[in-house]
Structures are given as C-alpha cells and as structure tokens.
Amino acid sequence: MRTKYVLLIFMSVVFFWGCQEKAVENKEGSVKAEPFEHVVEQFADLRILRYQISGFEQLTLKEKKLVYYLTQAGLAGRDIMWDQNYRHNLQIRDALENVYVSFKGDKATEDWKAFETYLKRVWFSNGIHHHYSNDKIKPGFSAEYLNFLLKETDTELTGEPFEVIFNDADNKKVNKKKGVDNVAESAVNFYGPSVTDADVTAFYETMDKGPEGRPIEIGLNTKLMREDGKLVEKVWKSGGMYGEAIDEMIKWLEKAKEVAENEQQAKTLQLLIDYYTTGDLNTWDEYAIAWVNSTEGNIDWITGFVEVYNDPKGYKGSYETIVQLKDFEMSKQMAVLSENAQWFEDNSPLMEEHKKDNVVGISYKTINVAGEAGDASPSTPIGVNLPNNNWIRQEHGSKSVSLGNIIGAYNNAGGSGRLKEFAHDQEEIALEEEYGKLADKLHTALHEVVGHASGQINPGVGQPKETLKNYASTMEEGRADLVGLYFSMDPKMQELGLVDDWEKLGKAAYDGYIRNGLMTQLIRIELGDDIEEDHMVNRQWVSAWAFEKGKADNVIEKVERDGKSYYNINDYARLRELFGELLKESQRIKSEGDFKAAQDLVEGYGVKVDQELHKEVLKRNERFKSAPYSGFVNPVLVPETDESGEIIDIKVTQPTSFEAQMLDYSKRFGYL
C-alpha cells in the first residue's frame, strides 16, 4: 500500500533543505553534482525532477555493490510494467523511439514538437494511458503525420498498435465505474481480450486460497487468459510469461545475495529468487515474512508484483522496485509511532471487536531512495506500507517507509502560489507555512504505520478484494487517511515529542486535507470527468462526507467571496469527531465485508464532481505554470573497476535529460 504525493506539491511553501547544487555535464554525458538543480524539465501536465542519494558516499564498498545490484535487478524488469499496462505498449514504444532517434527532417514544426511531447508523456506513464487518470493520452498530431515519420525513418507500426493511438478503442487503462464490465472495459493487460468480470469472479471464487486464516494472494502474479475455451493462468516467472526479464532480474539478485549485509538479508533474497524462479505464491508469503523480519543493516528494498491498484478486480500485482538506504536520524525521530502502535489501536474510535488485541512487528523508517523501476518510476510514491497480505501483517507485522529524499526534492522544487489562491484567509496560509510540511509528513507516517496496520477482519469474512471488490483499494486508502487525520489532532503527538503545538499542527493538517479533497485536486482532471483514481476518490469521499455531515453545525463552511469559492473550517474539534465516526464506519465496512455500504459511500461522495466548482478551480489555476504532476529521473550508479574487472567503487551521477535516460533504459533493459 502506498501514499501518493499530492498535498505538498499543490499547497506547501518552499522548504529548502541544505545546499542547492547545480548540474554540470561531464565528458561521459552524465551530470556531476556541483550546485544542484532539482527541476529537469516540464511538458504537458508533467514536471521531471531529480533527487540525490543522501548517505551513499558513506556506505562501504560491499553496501554500494548491494545497492547497485538491486537497482540493476529492478531495472531489468522495467519492460514488465510496460506490458502489464497495455498489450501494445512495447511495440508502440519501440516504434516511437526509433522515429525519435532516426528522424532527420524538420524538427521546428508544431507537429514534431507535439510528437516529442507525446513520446515523453508515454515514457512517463509507462505506456499510452495517463499514469493517474488512466485515460488514453491524446496525441497532438495526426495519423498522417505519424505515417510520414514512420516512412521517413523506415519504422514499422501498423494495424491495431498504430490505430489505437488515434481511435476510441481501449480508452481507459483501468475502469472501476459502477454498472460496467470492469474487466472488459479496462485496457490493462492482466486479462485476455475475451475475459469478463464474471469470468474473473467465478474463476477465483473456486480457487484454492491456501490454509484457513492464512490465504495466499491468489492471482497476484499471473495473467488470466482463455485458451481452447478454458480459463488458464500464465504465471510471471522464469521460463513462463516475462521469463526473459525475470531471468535477468534473478542474475542480479544472485549477485546481491553474495554481498548481503547479514544472514537474514541473504535468506530473504534467496526466497525472492526462489519465488521468481517458481512463481509459487506460498514462497511469496515466505519471502514476505522473511522481508518483514529483515530489519538490520543499512540497505533495504521493495520489489515484486506488489500493488493491485491497476487491476479493476484487485488481484494482479504491478511490477515495481524501490531500492533504499536508511536515514537513521529521521527514522529515530519517527520510530516513536511504531513503538506506540498499540496505544493508537487501543485509543482509536473503532468498535472494540474490530481492534487488534496485539499489534505486532510494525517497523517505520525514513529512507533515501537509491533507484526505482516499474510502477514506482518515473511517478513515485512518498510512503509505502507492506506486505499487503492481511494475515502476515497481523501475525508478523509490516514495514512502513517514508521516502525522505523524494519528499525533499518535491519541497525544493515547489512553490506557494496555489496556497495563497485557494486558502480561505491569512490564518490558514500562516498555519500551512509554519506547520504544513510537518503536518503532511506526520499524516503520511500515521497513514502508513498506524493506518494500514490497524483493525482486523471478522472471522470468516473474506479479503477486501473479494468482499469490497472494485471499491477495496479506495476504501483502504480512505480508512488509512482517516486514521492519520484522527490522530493528527491529538495531544499524544506533542507528548511523543513529534510536534511543539499539536493543535496548530492538527489545524494545518485538516485545512490542507479539506482544501485538497474538495477543491485543488480537481486541477488534475478534465472538466466534465468523474474522479476515478483511487487516492483522489478517497480524498473526496472523506472530505465530502465530513462536509455534508457537519452542515447542521456549520463545521465546514463554503464561503463565496469576490466570485471565488473557499472552504473554511469553523469547528476543528467537531471535525475530528466526524473523522472518527467515518473511521469507525469504514473499518466496520472492511471488517464485515459490507459491499453495499462501500459502494454507497464511494459512489455517493467520491466520484461525482460539482461541475461549476470544477470550472472555477480550473480557471483560477490557469495562471500557475507549475505542472500538477511530478516524477523523477533516477541517479545513475556507475561502477569503477580495476584491471581485472573487479568493482573498486561506485559513483553516483545524474542523467543529462529525461529523454536520454528513457532511451538508455530501453537500450540496456529491453528484455521483452
């Protein structure tokens, strides 16, 4: 489970951490760190940033090798994500890239500029569908112009892969709307073309889910196809589907195991190798347990077919890798949350039967990212809590991480204009400027550490993907958000030494959440569209429900001033009570598997948009130049070797440009 970066890039002021350095190109075409520039470029609705790997130079050579091998393993699987996102993505990417590097004609035309922008958007999204809205990206050039480019560069792209760029087919990568066949109407490549929603439900209802109370994550690492009239799973493993890429991943993981920091880490890596070799989901669970218990050392990682947001049915995991170094100072500061996990559980507003008697094994750390791939790149989360299997979390615990250098890069590249435009008054602005950054960081920590680890499912009730179906992901993210909101305004935060004024911090957290949930996140969608991305949906249903339920007491007031709309919180204490009531209900829904209640909550509050307000927000946002979405290029790890080929050091450089890194990745890691 992951937290997307939304509040900070819209609403926070700039907070500069340390020395800013500028990028300087060297003779190898990479960028060495002198004064650092975080912003690489901006196009369409996207901004490309850089991040630094704080602490890398202090690692031992053995630790540097471990980081290097893990990042190479992650990148080796990059093409898997492209193919998972859409069946024609790799063919389209190959053709567009060949045009880009081969075309010798006029590159000053508007058509060529539109082609460049389209290709960059496709790179950013790992395919032809927008990374956040899931809508197919519209090209700013004609089919005739693309045909001209293909002919000029002797590039082949015909039939459906060509036509789909311009027609109305496969318009939605993931479609979770009510009242449609969510599988048939989703272009994501987890299911064969003739497989329906009913097929998937029936297939997995009868599948062996493993031991009672300890179910495996059925369907997590397979594509469900119809062959000779029968439904069959194609397993993602060595020798199976994606085998060429997975074999390369295994090669690098074997190297990583040789330089593991300790026995537990080596054991964990071997189980990961075994899983990729066999595709056995029981081995995946063994790996997850070993990974949760691998807490010593400076290096850690997240990898596998992990998050299920891209599957309308919630079974299939998207490929991702995040390689990380521990930030010991920040981890020490925030460890107090995991140490007090039982207090949070005992003092939450949940029904007593839905609380855990013994919250175990929660690990929370702030980390610095060293490399990302797949679903985590270029668009990256800022917080992650894993594993996702509920029984493992309950019996063995979980790991939560906050991606410190990613958040720092966002902050360094940010601005305060939108805050002043959408905040109700100067008091709200002042609270955000003083406490907003810490409020967002603390809310993310509470969301990941306490939120996802809290509560329990009633005996005999299935997993949320089975009971809540297409609403499972947004319900879980909303539930975790509510945990964070409820405890953000609690004196316990000050008692634990996390804040100097719990009330002001809580106010800043509530202001920012409501402002974003009811208004500013609307800049991310087109006028007339519904909200569909799970995190955006959950922010709206939480905010809109609280707004409606507090109307009688004027808890949140919609203010019209000079033709502009604002939301002002009049009663923070009562709003906290409302968040508590909604948290109690959302946990009940999860614990009891109440699909109807989940559907009513999400469809009633989270999907539909006030079109007049949306139009106003888009108009007010026109004067701001900063793109609503950001992502990252990865630093480049360059091994230095002696005469015998042995690695004697690993240096960190920066890519010269976004397109240079994307082309390099396709050349070096194009295994599918």
Side-chain angles (χ1 to χ4, degrees):
M1 301 161 189
R2 58 168 54 173
T3 302
K4 287 284 189 178
Y5 194 88
V6 177
L7 292 176
L8 286 169
I9 54 176
F10 285 142
M11 294 286 96
S12 289
V13 298
V14 184
F15 289 86
F16 292 97
W17 293 357
C19 172
Q20 302 301 297
E21 298 181 316
K22 187 171 277 194
V24 178
E25 184 171 335
N26 64 20
K27 63 182 180 181
E28 288 80 26
S30 295
V31 174
K32 286 189 174 179
E34 299 235 317
F36 195 82
E37 289 287 347
H38 286 90
V39 180
V40 177
E41 67 170 314
Q42 182 169 305
F43 51 87
D45 59 351
L46 303 170
R47 183 175 57 163
I48 307 298
L49 306 177
R50 295 185 181 95
Y51 63 90
Q52 297 170 287
I53 313 176
S54 302
F56 186 82
E57 293 304 319
Q58 283 70 53
L59 297 178
T60 65
L61 176 57
K62 185 179 178 183
E63 290 169 334
K64 288 180 179 180
K65 286 181 179 180
L66 179 58
V67 172
Y68 175 67
Y69 295 147
L70 289 171
T71 57
Q72 299 307 292
L75 289 167
R78 173 179 181 255
D79 278 1
I80 295 174
M81 187 64 202
W82 280 78
D83 191 71
Q84 286 180 323
N85 276 341
Y86 184 55
R87 64 189 181 277
H88 295 311
N89 272 339
L90 289 172
Q91 189 176 350
I92 292 170
R93 186 191 75 190
D94 288 349
L96 297 182
E97 288 180 347
N98 192 62
V99 167
Y100 185 79
V101 300
S102 304
F103 182 61
K104 305 301 182 184
D106 187 355
K107 296 183 179 180
T109 67
E110 292 303 312
D111 277 337
W112 177 259
K113 292 176 183 176
F115 172 81
E116 284 187 311
T117 298
Y118 179 74
L119 176 55
K120 289 178 181 179
R121 296 182 74 190
V122 170
W123 276 330
F124 189 93
S125 295
N126 295 312
I128 66 170
H129 296 88
H130 194 279
H131 75 288
Y132 214 80
S133 72
N134 288 312
D135 293 326
K136 192 163 64 174
I137 300 168
K138 296 178 181 178
F141 52 87
S142 66
E144 291 73 22
Y145 182 69
L146 181 55
N147 264 321
F148 162 73
L149 293 177
L150 295 170
K151 184 177 180 181
E152 286 291 305
T153 56
D154 194 26
T155 305
E156 184 176 347
L157 186 68
T158 59
E160 190 176 64
F162 176 91
E163 294 163 2
V164 77
I165 296 173
F166 302 97
N167 64 23
D168 292 330
D170 296 329
N171 268 339
K172 207 76 173 172
K173 184 177 79 173
V174 185
N175 189 335
K176 297 183 180 181
K177 286 187 176 180
K178 177 184 176 182
V180 303
D181 188 314
N182 298 126
V183 171
E185 294 299 318
S186 296
V188 70
N189 194 27
F190 290 144
Y191 302 101
S194 64
V195 177
T196 67
D197 193 287
D199 288 333
V200 178
T201 300
F203 185 85
Y204 288 115
E205 275 182 351
T206 59
M207 178 172 280
D208 180 12
K209 299 176 178 61
E212 183 70 25
R214 294 181 175 180
I216 59 174
E217 295 178 81
I218 54 173
L220 183 70
N221 62 337
T222 65
K223 179 177 180 178
L224 187 61
M225 304 277 292
R226 194 183 304 279
E227 290 186 352
D228 300 325
K230 295 183 178 180
L231 291 172
V232 296
E233 287 188 308
K234 298 294 184 181
V235 183
W236 306 328
K237 66 173 184 173
S238 175
M241 190 171 179
Y242 303 142
E244 298 92 336
I246 291 173
D247 285 343
E248 190 68 18
M249 291 156 54
I250 290 172
K251 181 190 83 173
W252 288 106
L253 290 172
E254 292 279 9
K255 291 177 179 289
K257 189 184 73 169
E258 293 174 4
V259 292
E261 296 178 273
N262 51 63
E263 288 186 12
Q264 180 66 26
Q265 207 175 63
K267 172 188 173 183
T268 303
L269 285 167
Q270 183 58 56
L271 284 167
L272 180 61
I273 291 166
D274 293 345
Y275 165 62
Y276 282 141
T277 301
T278 65
D280 187 334
L281 289 173
N282 290 294
T283 304
W284 171 248
D285 282 352
E286 290 178 40
Y287 160 75
I289 294 167
W291 177 78
V292 162
N293 287 293
S294 179
T295 57
E296 300 299 321
N298 295 332
I299 314 302
D300 206 349
W301 65 87
I302 291 165
T303 192
F305 308 110
V306 183
E307 304 290 3
V308 298
Y309 301 115
N310 285 321
D311 180 4
K313 298 294 287 181
Y315 289 102
K316 312 297 178 183
S318 295
Y319 171 75
E320 71 171 297
T321 288
I322 302 173
V323 182
Q324 58 208 41
L325 285 63
K326 292 178 183 176
D327 183 329
F328 289 96
E329 184 57 35
M330 286 304 302
S331 296
K332 183 179 178 181
Q333 291 178 27
M334 302 302 282
V336 67
L337 290 178
S338 53
E339 292 166 1
N340 285 271
Q342 192 64 56
W343 182 92
F344 289 110
E345 187 78 354
D346 294 342
N347 289 274
S348 71
L350 309 184
M351 298 179 188
E352 288 302 317
E353 61 267 31
H354 297 156
K355 294 181 181 181
K356 291 178 179 175
D357 293 329
N358 183 28
V359 181
V360 299
I362 298 175
S363 166
Y364 179 76
K365 291 179 173 64
T366 297
I367 58 93
N368 289 314
V369 172
E372 298 180 309
D375 198 28
S377 179
S379 177
T380 171
I382 59 166
V384 183
N385 178 273
L386 293 171
N388 285 330
N389 199 327
N390 277 299
W391 76 263
I392 296 178
R393 300 165 67 85
Q394 189 159 339
E395 292 187 22
H396 299 276
S398 62
K399 283 183 182 177
S400 292
V401 295
S402 174
L403 282 57
N405 58 338
I406 296 295
I407 297 172
Y410 275 127
N411 287 337
N412 282 324
S416 61
R418 288 193 179 98
L419 169 63
K420 294 174 181 176
E421 174 62 37
F422 291 101
H424 172 252
D425 53 28
Q426 189 56 45
E427 180 185 2
E428 186 176 331
I429 293 170
L431 279 170
E432 176 66 32
E433 289 179 340
E434 185 173 1
Y435 290 98
K437 173 185 165 186
L438 180 57
D440 288 335
K441 183 182 294 186
L442 188 57
H443 181 262
T444 298
L446 288 165
H447 173 112
E448 298 294 351
V449 181
V450 182
H452 286 311
S454 70
Q456 60 184 354
I457 298 173
N458 290 357
V461 175
Q463 298 296 304
K465 65 184 176 185
E466 299 159 352
T467 58
L468 305 184
K469 302 177 182 178
N470 51 308
Y471 300 112
S473 291
T474 191
M475 285 299 301
E476 177 59 21
E477 293 307 316
R479 190 186 67 85
D481 264 4
L482 285 161
V483 171
L485 290 166
Y486 184 77
F487 287 113
S488 286
M489 186 172 272
D490 193 301
K492 187 72 172 180
M493 298 300 100
Q494 194 162 339
E495 178 188 322
L496 294 175
L498 294 169
V499 301
D500 60 12
D501 190 322
W502 65 268
E503 192 169 12
K504 287 183 178 179
L505 179 128
K507 287 181 177 181
Y510 285 16
D511 287 341
Y513 196 91
I514 294 299
R515 189 170 60 240
N516 189 38
L518 294 180
M519 280 202 307
T520 57
Q521 70 171 358
L522 296 178
I523 71 172
R524 291 177 162 229
I525 62 173
E526 299 288 335
L527 186 64
D529 286 353
D530 290 340
I531 299 176
E532 296 184 55
E533 197 278 330
D534 287 325
H535 297 81
M536 289 182 68
V537 170
N538 93 243
R539 285 188 288 272
Q540 179 164 294
W541 66 252
V542 168
S543 301
W545 185 95
F547 175 65
E548 180 180 288
K549 298 303 180 183
K551 274 185 176 179
D553 300 322
N554 202 29
V555 175
I556 304 171
E557 180 183 3
K558 186 177 181 181
V559 178
E560 304 287 344
R561 185 174 67 243
D562 300 327
K564 296 181 179 181
S565 302
Y566 305 89
Y567 287 92
N568 186 55
I569 301 173
N570 294 314
D571 191 337
Y572 291 93
R574 176 59 184 141
L575 180 55
R576 183 179 189 245
E577 291 176 359
L578 289 170
F579 285 147
E581 291 171 18
L582 186 54
L583 171 56
K584 180 180 180 180
E585 171 62 7
S586 62
Q587 180 62 55
R588 184 200 66 79
I589 290 170
K590 178 180 179 180
S591 296
E592 298 179 3
D594 190 340
F595 175 82
K596 179 64 165 58
Q599 183 180 69
D600 290 346
L601 184 59
V602 174
E603 297 292 343
Y605 294 96
V607 176
K608 296 300 179 182
V609 177
D610 180 328
Q611 293 302 312
E612 287 303 312
L613 179 62
H614 191 188
K615 184 177 180 181
E616 176 198 323
V617 168
L618 293 176
K619 182 68 176 175
R620 291 165 66 181
N621 187 63
E622 285 177 355
R623 66 188 183 94
F624 301 109
K625 303 304 180 186
S626 178
Y629 302 99
S630 293
F632 291 84
V633 290
N634 285 308
V636 182
L637 302 182
V638 182
E640 295 184 351
T641 58
D642 61 17
E643 292 180 358
S644 65
E646 287 295 312
I647 295 175
I648 56 175
D649 198 5
I650 294 173
K651 299 295 185 182
V652 179
T653 67
Q654 292 285 341
T656 54
S657 64
F658 177 56
E659 57 266 33
Q661 182 156 89
M662 294 297 99
L663 291 168
D664 175 62
Y665 281 175
S666 292
K667 181 179 180 180
R668 291 198 293 131
F669 303 108
Y671 294 110
L672 298 183

